[in-house]
Amino acid sequence: MSAHGHSESFISKYIFSQDHKTIAKQYLITGIFMGFVGGFLSTFFRLQLGWDGIDLGFLKGVFGNYLTDTGDAYTLAPDKYLALVTMHGTIIVFFVLTAGLSGTFSNLLIPLQIGARDMASPFLNMLSYWFFFVSSVIMICSLFIETGPASAGWTVYPPLSALPKAIPGSGLGMTLWLVAMALFIASSLMGALNYISTILNMRTKGLSFKKLPLTIWSFFLTAILGTLSFPVLLSAALLLIFDRSFGTSFYLSDIYIDGAALTAQTGGSPILFQHLFWFLGHPEVYIILMPALGITSEVIATNARKPIFGYHAMVISLLGISVLSFIVWGHHMFVTGMNPFLGGVFMIVTLIIAIPSAVKTFNYLATLWRGNIHFTNGMLFAIGLVSLFISGGLTGIFLGNAAIDIPLHNTYFVVAHFHIVMGASAIFGMFAGVYHWYPKMFGRIMNKKLGYIHFWLTFISVYCVFFPQHFQGLAGVPRRYYAFTEFEFAEVFIDLNKFMSIAAIIGFGAQFVFLYNFVTSMFNGKKAGRNPWKANTLEWSVENPGHGNWPAAIPEVFRGPHEYSKPGVALDYLPQWISDEDLERGVDYDNEAHDPVKKEITVKPTETIKEGE
Amino acid sequence: MSVLITHKGETNFKIDPTQFTIWIFLVSVVMLFAAFTSGYIVRKAQGDWVNFELPPIFMYSCLTVVLSSATMVAAQVAQKRAHKGQMQLALFASLLIGLAFIYMQFVGWNELMDMGIYFVGNPSGSFLFVISGLHAVHFASGILAILVSLLRSFLLDKNEIQSQKIGAVAIYWHFVGALWIYLYLFLSNA
């Protein structure tokens, strides 16, 4: 039963739900599942990287076709190593950090923080989740087909992706990858349309763009990036499908092996694919990162009990990052033989991104400076994000520079850079969000001690896995290699590889602490009040929101989102829904009973906008 | 089953929500075709490119989209005046002209194949078929939307006709028309 008295069946409430909060939970749970799959795949190949030829017989039951029987051991098949890295990348980049992160928090927070009863189109929102779900199922299924999943890397460069007979994963696995991604793109677009429409049109009275929480700013700009860039990936994928299945020559050229022509195509350009792919691919980095940055802004301001330092600068830097993200894709392609002048342009615009990024990190640190810091689990992960964003961002300055990127291209230096700055940072932002908004999702608080264990194990293991990779990369160790035991120059890293693999196993193990905490806290967690963190934004004005969010009228907004520790105000927070008159009257908003937000239905909804009307 | 959530007066939609969403959707369609046309330019610059003249029928199909947009405008005017019959007639005319457009595209593709330009072959031909084919798919979805609007209008009486939302369909229809004119100019000159 929702606040508005319409009854719902089990299916319409939990399965094909049109309530944005349920959809957010669906995204989150699917995202966590996909996160475990992606994390498992990386642990799987880290075993091989740490101990070349290790017996993986214990995985034979489920992953039998990934192993080869050498007589005395079941080792990872070399071609399946490529499958594992490809699927790890695809799953984490798209299914966890795009849909899992943005899908969860955009859905949960956009209507709640802007004061809307739901998304502009709840139906489209539901459709968006189910497209994502089907896409996830197809991607997971592709792991278990006989020839193995797609193996051309998460960037699926042709010809490995375009020529079905190139490697085992280029066949059915690649086809399933493309089908899953087409559904994924449709899902992302439906989500983005909704987010933009909702934020632009459904903000409550008083909520101008200048008072918008930074989470909403980041979701809004992320949705715009998605709307502009995902269609380009779709175009790239369509041309790839035509090359694969119909014999066109967009990307495929004449390939000869042993003097025999392998393809009927002539004159295709694999570089064209790279242009189209990275036109999405680079904004995609920010599609992943910006929601995490937005979440961090809110979590840090709330738990430092201070207004975010430089709100306007934060918004302008998000805008700057969004605009720049569309004109830097060439920095992924410095080694494609591009015109050096063009390379120079891409280099300069890439390095300019350091400015808004530095503004953001400076502002995070300035917000923490002399704050009354509450080390909640969410806060720890938010601070962890800042740490990773700085460490990973610094190496971005190296790689943005064409002269340094060319020797470092395709080495472990790149792997270290993007795992820290984009992968781990965004994951930390996601964890910060889960711990912080768990009370709004499930009405309870996650166990703090387990949260600490989860944080420290994850934080330390992330650095232990990825920091040494910089040194490997500088020594010229290439990525995507099955083993390094055959190369003399890489022998010095054999022990380091073991160390990184052990750290990776510990890091993956730590996620089970999170999973246990996540599941058990739903039932045994400490009950959260309406506003456990004493935060200012609108979602904390309502307890356990039903469908429609506020049982009575939607609260009006009177102030910005970060009025913490305001001079002259008794409490160290001042919610957005408290007016100056309320303040003068001395309303005790710390006490739920006296809060001006109405809990009872006082006005009967007369007219409603119905679906499809 | 409808979900009653948003109360009128609680949002500040200045235009109809469906129309607003359509506008954003069109942005993503623009990006899709921008990707194809810029891919066309990049690929062409790399050489090994067969140049050919477009069959004139593609130019005539530009005229049909202009005409069908005009009949769509007529449908909206008739709706505003609550002239149900006129509106249905104008929608029907748009539908027929739309079908004629698709037919003309097929004729154009056949002429191309008679000239030896195929979908599989030199990328110049492949690009042409992909771009015009994908446009035709978008155009066909517009025809479908008009058909649905037309059938729906029969269920409404004269007084209800003004509340029927054909605005979103009209926006889409004008857009796919204008898109073809752009694509024609691009393909015949680029």
Side-chain angles (χ1 to χ4, degrees):
Chain A
M1 236 8 200
S2 87
H4 294 153
H6 69 278
S7 55
E8 291 173 298
S9 65
F10 177 83
I11 287 186
S12 74
K13 193 169 178 192
Y14 295 107
I15 313 280
F16 296 109
S17 172
Q18 298 190 22
D19 180 354
H20 70 99
K21 296 176 296 295
T22 308
I23 295 171
K25 289 178 206 168
Q26 291 174 325
Y27 264 111
L28 180 60
I29 291 165
T30 315
I32 289 174
F33 175 77
M34 294 304 273
F36 271 87
V37 174
F40 167 75
L41 297 179
S42 67
T43 316
F44 193 173
F45 65 71
R46 276 282 2 153
L47 286 172
Q48 160 62 27
L49 287 174
W51 301 273
D52 182 23
I54 189 177
D55 183 7
L56 297 167
F58 65 96
L59 290 169
K60 197 156 61 90
V62 185
F63 287 94
N65 66 340
Y66 285 70
L67 308 174
T68 42
D69 187 359
T70 58
D72 51 352
Y74 285 96
T75 60
L76 177 62
D79 61 317
K80 292 302 185 298
Y81 173 82
L82 293 176
L84 289 176
V85 290
T86 300
M87 294 305 280
H88 163 74
T90 303
I91 287 174
I92 300 283
V93 167
F94 292 110
F95 292 81
V96 181
L97 294 177
T98 304
L101 171 58
S102 191
T104 302
F105 292 103
S106 294
N107 270 304
L108 179 73
L109 296 178
I110 288 174
L112 278 171
Q113 288 194 334
I114 67 168
R117 297 210 181 271
D118 208 311
M119 288 287 179
S121 172
F123 177 75
L124 203 61
N125 208 23
M126 174 191 77
L127 216 55
S128 159
Y129 172 73
W130 285 102
F131 267 69
F132 165 60
F133 181 81
V134 174
S135 162
S136 306
V137 169
I138 293 172
M139 203 52 103
I140 294 285
C141 285
S142 82
L143 285 169
F144 299 105
I145 58 174
E146 196 181 347
T147 47
S151 309
W154 79 277
T155 55
V156 295
Y157 281 178
L160 282 186
S161 59
L163 198 60
K165 54 192 168 184
I167 48 174
S170 305
L172 180 60
M174 190 62 218
T175 304
L176 291 176
W177 191 97
L178 285 166
V179 172
M181 283 311 294
L183 292 169
F184 184 89
I185 293 168
S187 154
S188 293
L189 283 174
M190 284 187 273
L193 293 182
N194 237 331
Y195 306 153
I196 296 173
S197 183
T198 309
I199 294 170
L200 284 179
N201 294 299
M202 296 173 74
R203 281 168 287 126
T204 186
K205 202 174 164 194
L207 189 58
S208 64
F209 268 89
K210 284 183 176 173
K211 292 180 187 148
L212 218 52
L214 287 167
T215 34
I216 303 297
W217 267 110
S218 68
F219 301 147
F220 178 58
L221 293 169
T222 301
I224 291 176
L225 293 191
T227 310
L228 295 176
S229 63
F230 270 112
V232 180
L233 180 66
L234 186 64
S235 76
L238 276 172
L239 298 185
L240 190 56
I241 290 169
F242 292 139
D243 267 16
R244 286 172 60 79
S245 308
F246 299 96
T248 54
S249 324
F250 293 109
Y251 309 133
L252 269 184
S253 194
D254 29 0
I255 298 172
Y256 289 88
I257 289 180
D258 289 340
L262 206 60
T263 54
Q265 283 96 339
T266 53
S269 163
I271 306 288
L272 174 63
F273 179 85
Q274 296 196 19
H275 278 295
L276 292 173
F277 180 85
W278 286 113
F279 190 84
L280 157 95
H282 200 80
E284 171 67 19
V285 171
Y286 295 102
I287 290 173
I288 285 173
L289 195 60
M290 288 211 300
L293 294 176
I295 288 168
T296 301
S297 303
E298 289 306 312
V299 172
I300 284 186
T302 305
N303 290 299
R305 313 310 289 167
K306 273 178 70 183
I308 195 90
F309 185 88
Y311 173 87
H312 289 108
M314 289 301 245
V315 173
I316 292 166
S317 54
L318 281 177
L319 283 166
I321 289 174
S322 305
V323 172
L324 287 170
S325 73
F326 278 105
I327 50 173
V328 298
W329 79 91
H331 70 221
H332 297 272
M333 301 167 60
F334 282 141
V335 295
T336 55
M338 71 165 57
N339 181 330
F341 174 74
L342 194 60
V345 172
F346 278 125
M347 184 174 100
I348 289 166
V349 284
T350 300
L351 294 179
I352 290 174
I353 295 188
I355 297 170
S357 307
V359 167
K360 293 199 81 71
T361 35
F362 176 79
N363 288 0
Y364 288 138
L365 297 176
T367 309
L368 291 169
W369 178 252
R370 304 186 73 177
N372 173 19
I373 299 177
H374 295 197
F375 285 106
T376 60
N377 295 148
M379 182 64 159
L380 281 178
F381 275 100
I383 296 172
L385 177 145
V386 177
S387 161
L388 292 161
F389 191 54
I390 295 172
S391 318
L394 281 175
T395 52
I397 300 173
F398 290 64
L399 291 172
N401 203 317
I404 307 176
D405 177 77
I406 289 168
L408 289 177
H409 188 84
N410 251 356
T411 66
Y412 265 88
F413 195 88
V414 179
V415 177
H417 163 69
F418 73 74
H419 272 96
I420 293 176
V421 80
M422 169 187 115
S425 289
I427 288 270
F428 271 56
M430 187 168 170
F431 282 134
V434 172
Y435 281 106
H436 191 76
W437 279 286
Y438 193 88
K440 204 46 52 184
M441 285 190 266
F442 300 103
R444 289 170 191 269
I445 295 176
M446 287 175 77
N447 184 302
K448 203 171 173 181
K449 274 192 187 137
L450 289 175
Y452 284 152
I453 296 171
H454 174 221
F455 170 76
W456 286 110
L457 286 177
T458 310
F459 186 72
I460 294 168
S461 63
V462 160
Y463 269 109
C464 289
V465 174
F466 298 113
F467 207 79
Q469 293 183 352
H470 292 111
F471 302 105
Q472 281 189 302
L474 286 170
V477 176
R479 64 196 281 208
R480 293 186 175 134
Y481 273 36
Y482 170 71
F484 298 100
T485 41
E486 306 291 316
F487 308 100
E488 206 179 314
F489 80 99
E491 272 173 14
V492 288
F493 295 118
I494 287 178
D495 286 335
L496 192 65
N497 259 325
K498 288 195 177 90
F499 172 78
M500 290 189 289
S501 293
I502 291 167
I505 293 164
I506 293 171
F508 183 57
Q511 305 320 306
F512 287 92
V513 178
F514 166 77
L515 186 65
Y516 174 81
N517 195 356
F518 184 85
V519 175
T520 54
S521 296
M522 276 183 217
F523 310 102
N524 306 326
K526 194 177 122 196
K527 280 219 164 118
R530 188 189 56 168
N531 191 354
W533 318 120
K534 305 208 180 298
N536 286 345
T537 38
L538 279 185
E539 75 273 29
W540 306 108
S541 71
V542 63
E543 188 173 8
N544 291 331
H547 199 182
N549 295 344
W550 287 270
I554 292 177
E556 197 178 328
V557 164
F558 299 98
R559 54 192 76 251
H562 302 125
E563 300 204 358
Y564 292 103
S565 307
K566 192 177 181 179
V569 178
L571 295 164
D572 68 350
Y573 72 114
L574 183 52
Q576 289 188 283
W577 62 92
I578 302 295
S579 68
D580 287 342
E581 291 78 53
D582 288 332
L583 213 55
E584 274 169 30
R585 280 195 289 122
V587 165
D588 179 16
Y589 50 84
D590 211 29
N591 184 338
E592 285 182 29
H594 299 153
D595 192 286
V597 168
K598 295 170 187 66
K599 292 195 199 69
E600 303 302 322
I601 298 176
T602 50
V603 281
K604 224 180 163 191
T606 46
E607 279 184 291
T608 55
I609 298 172
K610 287 182 186 167
E611 268 304 304
E613 198 177 80
Chain B
M1 184 205 72
S2 65
V3 179
L4 50 114
I5 289 303
T6 305
H7 304 211
K8 269 185 188 158
E10 284 184 344
T11 64
N12 48 357
F13 271 108
K14 289 189 182 62
I15 60 170
D16 173 76
T18 321
Q19 283 190 22
F20 192 89
T21 311
I22 286 283
W23 278 112
I24 310 171
F25 173 67
L26 295 186
V27 172
S28 68
V29 180
V30 165
M31 286 308 294
L32 182 69
F33 283 93
F36 283 125
T37 47
S38 44
Y40 183 99
I41 294 169
V42 170
R43 179 61 192 78
K44 189 180 179 184
Q46 287 169 346
D48 184 24
W49 186 267
V50 175
N51 287 305
F52 55 88
E53 288 278 315
L54 282 184
I57 190 145
F58 286 129
M59 192 174 68
Y60 303 135
S61 63
C62 287
L63 298 177
T64 60
V65 297
V66 174
L67 200 61
S68 75
S69 271
T71 52
M72 185 51 101
V73 172
Q76 283 179 288
V77 170
Q79 186 202 22
K80 221 170 246 171
R81 294 179 184 159
H83 293 164
K84 185 177 170 183
Q86 281 181 18
M87 183 188 98
Q88 288 171 328
L89 192 67
L91 279 179
F92 188 62
S94 309
L95 187 87
L96 279 187
I97 302 169
L99 288 171
F101 172 85
I102 298 281
Y103 174 74
M104 288 165 85
Q105 299 299 85
F106 267 102
V107 173
W109 293 329
N110 276 321
E111 283 181 26
L112 279 170
M113 287 191 276
D114 291 341
M115 287 158 60
I117 306 294
Y118 294 99
F119 173 51
V120 175
N122 190 277
S124 62
S126 307
F127 264 112
L128 189 117
F129 278 98
V130 168
I131 292 174
S132 59
L134 218 63
H135 172 265
V137 171
H138 282 83
F139 201 86
S141 66
I143 294 177
L144 204 67
I146 293 179
L147 184 66
V148 171
S149 300
L150 188 60
L151 294 177
R152 253 191 173 173
S153 71
F154 283 101
L155 301 175
L156 301 171
D157 68 29
K158 205 179 161 189
N159 303 321
E160 291 170 322
I161 208 84
Q162 279 173 311
S163 64
Q164 201 194 347
K165 289 183 178 172
I166 63 166
V169 180
I171 291 168
Y172 187 70
W173 191 247
H174 297 314
F175 170 80
V176 286
L179 180 63
W180 176 247
I181 294 173
Y182 158 71
L183 290 173
Y184 173 75
L185 290 175
F186 175 85
L187 291 169
S188 55
N189 295 303

